[in-house]
Amino acid sequence: MSAQNGPGSQRPQPPQVQGPPNPNVPPAHGQVPQQGQVPQPNQPQQNHDRFRPRPQGSQQPNPQQAGQGPQQPPMQGQPQMQPVPGRLMPQQAQPIPGQPMPGQPVMYAPPPAQVRVYAQPRFAPTVTQEMRIRAGMQAPQQVVTDTPWTGAVRKAQPKTQPDSTGNIVRLVAAILVLIGLVVGLALLALVGGLSFGVRLFALIGLSAIPLLGIIAYVLWLDRWRPQPKLLLGICLLWGAVAAVILTLAFSIAGEIALALAGFRGVPSLIGTVIQAPILEESTKTVLLLVIVLAARRYFEGPLDGLVYGSLIGAGFAFTENILYLGGAWNEGQVEGLMELFVVRCLCAPLLHTTFSTAAGVSIGLAARKWPWWSLILMWLPGLVLGMVLHGFWNGSMVLLSVIDQEITHNEIVSRTGMIILSIIYSAAWIALGLILRRSERMHTQNMLGDYANSGWLTHAEVDMLGTWKGRKNGRDWAKSFPGGKEEMKTMIRTSGKLATTRMRVLAGIGGEQERNIERAELKQFSDARDRLLAASKQTVSRQTVR
């Protein structure tokens, strides 16, 4: 035996799946047939389990259990027997790579490659594991684990967020809805121009005074975890355009239906106290249901519902104020205009905002952790509450007007009652916004605590990102580094997203897709933190060198 063929220099050969041996021609036990010799049938038969096909990477049978002596792999260049069905095996048979020969030391095959299950495509023949075993292939002498070029390609690929396709579809749909609402707004402006002429600009300016105040307060409430500006704009335009048009259309359709049925129409009191609240609140708040079903990620809690519902109500009140102020201007000139402006825009500016908020908050409570069908059910109690508040307001104003006409013969009772009731409604809406804003901050801190307990964040980071003061201090500290302020803004914005995602994962909403989103957001947060720390270290190093 030469040194080149010794066990220490022998390259291990991988196993090979062989065909079935010839059961009629077993070799002699412990012997290899010589050239020209035929094994005797009365000699003990050798165990042929090691010649049977086995799955790729499976272990060889234990020779001690089979009653044989220790087995050794074939030497390089040394022949090995390969049974052929129906024929005798000569000595110079082709060697089988990887199969040990008697009397040789055991050599180990290279470790098998990592097994990965690939999904089978539709409309294609099904491939079973038995088929793969039957068609086993020869393993290479050296298993390939990875190559540099694949890693380079992966790094060069653009990063895509999970559910990016769904976000694109929702974005396109939202843009189309926004375009439709803008077209509707232009048509309303055209009708208003024909009705009021140049005075329309003055009416818009007067009606915009309470609208701007409501928008400012709502955006302040939404600062903790801002919602997409596109959705906020759609809510505002929906209330100002679509809800008004739908209310008028349903009202006209109802009057036509009653006329065809032989009725003269709805009595004024019933129309004011019952019909108007039902139609207006339904057409306004139905958009909230569409948003939470189509884009639930952006409607995650009661504060989101308050923000969306308030903007819808503010938009509806804006258009309604233009119509009422224009009518008063045509009838009573400037005196009637200013009187109605004080009543509607200054004394009672938050009525429709309060009514629509009820449905938004009820939907938001369900959107945080309940299944989708509960969102539809939870729309109803908020809708009914808004209708009751609306109907109570209208009924109270009718009753106070009757008292003034019959008893006081002036408007002191109706004006006083209107101001008191308006203050109660407005104070409730403002207080609810403050309570929900604080609750949202505590909810974010609670959800981020899970990441701190698992090591993704530190508890000091949770304290910073979960309070207004901590966020402000973080921005002030980061702005002293190049690009640090933007990285801190990214961390703050991502922490709000993580709180929403964590709640959805805990509630079992979204499934595996939600976990993928969580991993992507955690990586985004970690990358921003690494860049911020790197910028701070570079700045400190430069200052030290100076």
Side-chain angles (χ1 to χ4, degrees):
M1 179 182 303
S2 63
Q4 296 178 353
N5 294 334
S9 62
Q10 173 66 28
R11 176 180 296 178
Q13 299 293 330
Q16 181 182 10
V17 178
Q18 305 293 338
N22 186 1
N24 299 325
V25 191
H29 176 68
Q31 298 181 1
V32 178
Q34 301 296 325
Q35 184 174 5
Q37 294 182 353
V38 177
Q40 298 298 327
N42 56 354
Q43 293 180 348
Q45 296 184 358
Q46 187 179 0
N47 193 328
H48 293 278
D49 288 342
R50 58 191 180 92
F51 291 105
R52 295 177 181 174
R54 53 180 55 88
Q56 183 74 22
S58 60
Q59 298 180 354
Q60 299 292 336
N62 190 346
Q64 300 296 336
Q65 296 178 359
Q68 301 177 2
Q71 299 181 354
Q72 300 177 355
M75 302 299 294
Q76 185 173 0
Q78 189 172 9
Q80 182 183 2
M81 298 306 300
Q82 181 177 7
V84 180
R87 296 181 59 186
L88 298 180
M89 295 183 298
Q91 180 185 8
Q92 301 297 333
Q94 295 295 329
I96 304 174
Q99 292 291 344
M101 291 291 293
Q104 294 181 344
V106 177
M107 300 295 293
Y108 294 97
Q114 184 178 1
V115 179
R116 181 164 135 204
V117 178
Y118 292 88
Q120 298 194 36
R122 294 182 178 180
F123 312 110
T126 303
V127 179
T128 63
Q129 187 65 18
E130 181 181 358
M131 297 168 63
R132 288 192 169 95
I133 294 176
R134 188 167 59 248
M137 65 180 64
Q138 175 69 38
Q141 295 183 357
Q142 184 176 1
V143 177
V144 179
T145 57
D146 200 359
T147 52
W149 71 271
T150 56
V153 169
R154 284 195 295 267
K155 292 181 180 180
Q157 290 177 346
K159 296 181 180 179
T160 57
Q161 294 291 335
D163 198 26
S164 58
T165 303
N167 290 334
I168 292 175
V169 172
R170 284 186 283 267
L171 177 62
V172 172
I175 292 175
L176 294 177
V177 171
L178 183 64
I179 293 174
L181 292 175
V182 170
V183 172
L185 181 63
L187 294 177
L188 287 181
L190 179 61
V191 174
L194 296 176
S195 302
F196 307 117
V198 181
R199 291 178 295 180
L200 176 64
F201 295 99
L203 297 175
I204 292 176
L206 293 175
S207 301
I209 292 176
L211 176 66
L212 294 177
I214 295 172
I215 292 176
Y217 180 71
V218 167
L219 293 180
W220 180 77
L221 292 177
D222 196 45
R223 281 181 57 210
W224 182 259
R225 189 170 52 84
Q227 300 305 322
K229 297 301 185 290
L230 181 61
L231 281 180
L232 300 182
I234 288 176
C235 290
L236 187 63
L237 288 177
W238 179 271
V241 179
V244 173
I245 295 176
L246 291 175
T247 300
L248 294 175
F250 284 125
S251 298
I252 295 173
E255 292 179 359
I256 295 175
L258 290 176
L260 294 177
F263 297 95
R264 294 183 178 180
V266 179
S268 177
L269 181 61
I270 296 178
T272 301
V273 179
I274 298 178
Q275 181 184 14
I278 292 176
L279 290 180
E280 292 179 8
E281 299 310 315
S282 299
T283 55
K284 286 191 299 182
T285 59
V286 69
L287 178 65
L288 298 174
L289 197 60
V290 174
I291 293 176
V292 75
L293 293 176
R296 186 170 178 177
R297 171 169 295 280
Y298 305 108
F299 198 154
E300 189 267 339
L303 182 61
D304 298 340
L306 183 141
V307 169
Y308 293 142
S310 299
L311 290 177
I312 293 174
F316 189 91
F318 171 75
T319 302
E320 192 178 61
N321 286 338
I322 291 177
L323 297 177
Y324 278 98
L325 292 176
W329 199 350
N330 290 336
E331 294 177 0
Q333 298 303 321
V334 180
E335 293 79 5
L337 170 67
M338 296 309 297
E339 180 181 0
L340 193 60
F341 169 75
V342 172
V343 171
R344 293 189 62 88
C345 299
L346 299 183
C347 295
L350 302 176
L351 296 180
H352 284 287
T353 299
T354 305
F355 304 152
S356 303
T357 296
V361 172
S362 65
I363 294 175
L365 290 174
R368 176 150 283 175
K369 59 181 179 179
W370 291 350
W372 66 269
W373 52 266
S374 67
L375 308 179
I376 303 175
L377 297 179
M378 286 300 291
W379 174 50
L380 299 178
L383 176 63
V384 172
L385 178 59
M387 293 176 180
V388 171
L389 293 176
H390 195 163
F392 181 77
W393 170 270
N394 290 351
S396 300
M397 294 303 102
V398 171
L399 179 61
L400 294 176
S401 298
V402 172
I403 293 176
D404 281 338
Q405 292 175 4
E406 299 295 334
I407 301 176
T408 63
H409 302 289
N410 55 41
E411 297 181 349
I412 185 64
V413 174
S414 59
R415 293 291 182 261
T416 303
M418 179 196 65
I419 292 175
I420 294 175
L421 193 57
S422 176
I423 291 176
I424 294 174
Y425 278 18
S426 301
W429 177 74
I430 294 173
L432 181 61
L434 295 176
I435 293 173
L436 293 180
R437 188 174 186 257
R438 183 177 183 273
S439 175
E440 191 69 23
R441 182 191 63 79
M442 297 178 64
H443 172 72
T444 300
Q445 195 173 26
N446 186 20
M447 293 296 99
L448 294 181
D450 286 2
Y451 298 117
N453 293 330
S454 60
W456 281 99
L457 280 75
T458 65
H459 293 286
E461 287 176 331
V462 174
D463 294 337
M464 184 196 73
L465 298 171
T467 59
W468 287 106
K469 183 178 179 180
R471 289 184 172 188
K472 181 180 182 301
N473 294 336
R475 287 192 296 267
D476 293 340
W477 172 79
K479 68 181 181 182
S480 59
F481 310 123
K485 188 175 181 180
E486 295 300 323
E487 300 298 344
M488 180 59 69
K489 287 183 178 179
T490 300
M491 293 174 61
I492 293 174
R493 183 172 58 253
T494 307
S495 66
K497 294 180 180 179
L498 280 170
T500 298
T501 304
R502 187 58 187 166
M503 187 68 247
R504 290 169 60 85
V505 171
L506 293 176
I509 301 171
E512 186 62 27
Q513 181 70 18
E514 201 66 30
R515 294 186 177 274
N516 295 334
I517 294 175
E518 182 182 40
R519 286 188 285 267
E521 291 174 350
L522 285 172
K523 186 178 185 305
Q524 183 181 5
F525 180 89
S526 301
D527 292 344
R529 178 175 52 192
D530 293 342
R531 291 191 297 267
L532 178 60
L533 294 178
S536 65
K537 291 179 181 178
Q538 291 177 2
T539 303
V540 172
S541 300
R542 294 193 191 100
Q543 294 176 353
T544 304
V545 171
R546 293 177 183 176

